[in-house]
Amino acid sequence: MKKLLILGAGTAGTMMANKMKRKLKKGWSITIIDKDNIHDYQPGYLFVPFDINTPEEIRRTKREYIASGIDFVISEIANIDWDKQEVTTTSAGKFTYDILIMATGCDIRPGEIEGLQEGWGKDIHGFYRFDDCLALRAALNQFTGGKLVISIAEMPIKCPVAPLEFMFLADWWFHQRGIRDKVEIELVTPLSGAFTKPVATGILTEAARAKNIKITPNFALGSVDHEKKVIEAYDGTQVGYDLLVSIPPNFGSEVMINSGLADPMGYIPVDKHTLQPKDRDNVWVIGDGTNVPTSKAGSVAHFEGDVLEENIMAYVEGMTQHERFDGHTNCFIESGFGKAYLIDFNYETEPLTGHFPLPSVGPLSLLGDTTMNHIGKLMFKWIYFNMLLKGAWLGPHTMNMAGKNEVRKAA
Ligand SMILES: Cc1cc2nc3c(=O)[nH]c(=O)nc-3n(C[C@H](O)[C@H](O)[C@H](O)COP(=O)(O)OP(=O)(O)OC[C@H]3O[C@@H](n4cnc5c(N)ncnc54)[C@H](O)[C@@H]3O)c2cc1C
């Protein structure tokens, strides 16, 4: 019996286990390992503080999404040895493999910024973990006015548009409560603007300005003083706050660093098109844990999954691997008042305006602020639990230029 071993049963690992269960026929076993049995719909962490989703709506078990016939092992992964083709866990022993899929994601580390962990929970909150988004909901409910600062410590972070969504939703939420005129909202970011690419940055910066949200760019967070309620950049620039919503540094899983497989941030270096580490033809890495230069997003894991499914089957059958990942990402960006933007891009093409998925028709608008996009974002939770995690095919994985308005370059 040959063995497929999958590390991590979050978005990417669960999806891959279910895809490969359908593809791999007799003679293969599939085992998936994760440290716990909780599966959160992470995009819902953004909605819970504003009561758009309840905590119960976004939390499930992992086991219920893993198809029968797949062995689900609950234990912490302690070491991975590519040479021996062996994975060690803290409580379930060792596992060998013929093929390895690594999907251990990334997580926040408040302890990496001086003073941040010490102040966590004391007018400093976040929304990148389940318990944090509950605490933030309580803090927002007690907030009657003052300065709300949303601080991105450093890049990369998972879902890089989530802080923008938070500031737009906060603007809407304070309007709903009738206290918007008592609240200052400021986004403090290490980026040179609201987003990374010119067209999207222009549109999103203008949207923030129109909503009276200040953006402070090029701020490399060095420390936090929770007693003085001040964040300070390495160059000495300070920003005061009454309520700080922090997006701390994101790191790949610690075990990747300890096993000597990752860069200092815990991200595993892979070929950005094949998602394989150098000279490891039976190992694939998927989702937030890679170092590929695209967003860390569920949509990326989904598009990568289609590439892996084809290429792993080609490897199993001794054929040439022909699928290549193009960096395709798409993300809705909630903008408040029942509207959202949508961006679609890849390694080569920045987010552009236009229509999606059908040219001229849409019904979704690229970089347009529409109700239809907001409905699309709300519907995505159903698609995630009922289709994406189950490994269903949701359309081509490569980005399409149809419907996009290309930027004309100066002659
Ligand atoms: C606030 C927020 C909003 C988001 N919004 C969106 C959005 O709108 N659209 C979008 O596409 N994406 C969004 N995302 C990102 C999306 O949720 C992630 O990109 C996606 O979940 C990544 O999947 P993954 O499988 O790589 O990692 P995960 O789903 O995080 O899974 C990793 C798994 O590995 C396990 N693991 C790690 N280390 C170990 C170990 N040592 N031993 C055992 N198990 C281990 C973990 O327990 C976890 O289950 C958002 C994320 C956040 C936090």
Side-chain angles (χ1 to χ4, degrees):
M1 183 74 95
K2 294 206 166 189
K3 295 173 192 164
L4 167 63
L5 183 60
I6 302 174
L7 308 183
T11 307
T14 303
M15 178 187 69
M16 285 315 300
N18 292 331
K19 276 178 181 291
M20 298 318 295
K21 178 66 189 156
R22 281 199 295 273
K23 285 274 175 163
L24 288 170
K25 302 296 176 204
K26 283 197 180 100
W28 280 88
S29 70
I30 304 179
T31 301
I32 183 164
I33 308 176
D34 202 291
K35 60 180 175 323
D36 62 44
N37 188 27
I38 297 167
H39 192 120
D40 286 343
Y41 175 63
Q42 295 180 39
Y45 294 163
L46 172 74
F47 285 153
V48 167
F50 303 108
D51 289 319
I52 299 169
N53 279 145
T54 63
E56 297 74 29
E57 281 173 333
I58 65 165
R59 177 152 273 202
R60 308 282 164 85
T61 65
K62 288 187 164 106
R63 197 178 293 278
E64 69 193 283
Y65 290 96
I66 297 170
S68 64
I70 299 169
D71 295 324
F72 177 35
V73 175
I74 299 177
S75 186
E76 177 103 25
I77 300 155
N79 189 61
I80 299 139
D81 189 326
W82 283 342
D83 291 330
K84 290 188 184 160
Q85 301 193 183
E86 185 180 86
V87 171
T88 307
T89 62
T90 53
S91 59
K94 291 180 191 277
F95 295 80
T96 56
Y97 62 83
D98 296 285
I99 290 178
L100 182 68
I101 299 176
M102 303 173 68
T104 45
C106 68
D107 212 344
I108 57 165
R109 282 213 203 156
E112 292 292 319
I113 299 288
E114 187 189 327
L116 186 56
Q117 183 64 61
E118 293 83 339
W120 202 260
K122 300 169 188 150
D123 297 315
I124 303 177
H125 294 277
F127 62 97
Y128 269 54
R129 296 183 295 210
F130 187 79
D131 291 348
D132 289 340
C133 75
L134 299 187
L136 179 53
R137 181 175 64 165
L140 280 175
N141 275 303
Q142 284 166 11
F143 193 68
T144 51
K147 189 166 170 189
L148 169 70
V149 170
I150 299 129
S151 153
I152 304 171
E154 62 185 39
M155 302 303 280
I157 56 171
K158 57 179 152 184
C159 197
V161 297
L164 302 177
E165 296 184 275
F166 189 90
M167 73 184 193
F168 287 140
L169 286 174
D171 166 67
W172 160 76
W173 198 75
F174 290 128
H175 269 107
Q176 297 299 108
R177 293 182 63 207
I179 59 167
R180 179 63 179 93
D181 58 340
K182 296 190 175 66
V183 181
E184 271 179 73
I185 304 178
E186 181 170 344
L187 174 74
V188 181
T189 171
L191 298 174
S192 56
F195 196 63
T196 46
K197 299 289 182 343
V199 176
T201 298
I203 290 170
L204 295 168
T205 303
E206 174 52 27
R209 195 201 54 74
K211 292 173 191 285
N212 196 22
I213 297 171
K214 183 177 175 189
I215 298 183
T216 300
N218 302 315
F219 191 100
L221 182 64
S223 62
V224 177
D225 185 330
H226 72 269
E227 278 164 2
K228 291 189 185 146
K229 294 194 184 183
V230 164
I231 60 173
E232 185 167 318
Y234 284 109
D235 67 6
T237 314
Q238 294 188 338
V239 173
Y241 64 85
D242 294 300
L243 177 59
L244 182 68
V245 174
S246 164
I247 297 94
N250 283 212
F251 276 67
S253 185
E254 182 80 29
V255 65
M256 301 304 160
I257 300 175
N258 297 342
S259 302
L261 308 181
D263 64 23
M265 299 286 289
Y267 298 118
I268 305 167
V270 290
D271 179 292
K272 69 178 186 176
H273 297 297
T274 66
L275 305 170
Q276 292 198 278
K278 196 164 177 285
D279 298 331
R280 300 287 166 179
D281 63 355
N282 62 342
V283 178
W284 282 264
V285 192
I286 180 169
D288 292 350
T290 79
N291 73 338
V292 298
T294 193
S295 286
K296 298 191 180 302
S299 62
V300 170
H302 157 62
F303 297 130
E304 290 175 337
D306 289 347
V307 174
L308 261 61
E309 179 181 359
E310 289 300 315
N311 286 351
I312 291 173
M313 286 314 295
Y315 172 80
V316 167
E317 290 160 3
M319 314 281 277
T320 307
Q321 296 180 34
H322 58 276
E323 292 291 350
R324 287 168 69 76
F325 178 58
D326 66 352
H328 192 189
T329 307
N330 51 38
C331 291
F332 291 104
I333 306 173
E334 278 296 303
S335 53
F337 299 91
K339 292 189 175 182
Y341 295 90
L342 173 64
I343 52 175
D344 188 59
F345 59 102
N346 69 9
Y347 292 140
E348 308 299 331
T349 306
E350 65 171 302
L352 299 170
T353 57
H355 293 96
F356 185 87
L358 301 174
S360 314
V361 178
L364 303 175
S365 305
L366 294 170
L367 279 171
D369 185 24
T370 69
T371 304
M372 192 56 91
N373 288 345
H374 169 67
I375 293 169
K377 172 108 183 177
L378 294 186
M379 275 173 55
F380 195 73
K381 179 160 65 69
W382 188 92
I383 294 172
Y384 180 86
F385 281 126
N386 293 285
M387 299 177 78
L388 191 146
L389 283 186
K390 293 181 179 171
W393 190 79
L394 298 173
H397 63 79
T398 46
M399 200 201 75
N400 194 333
M401 279 306 287
K404 293 190 170 67
N405 301 318
E406 291 190 51
V407 183
R408 294 192 194 289
K409 294 202 171 74

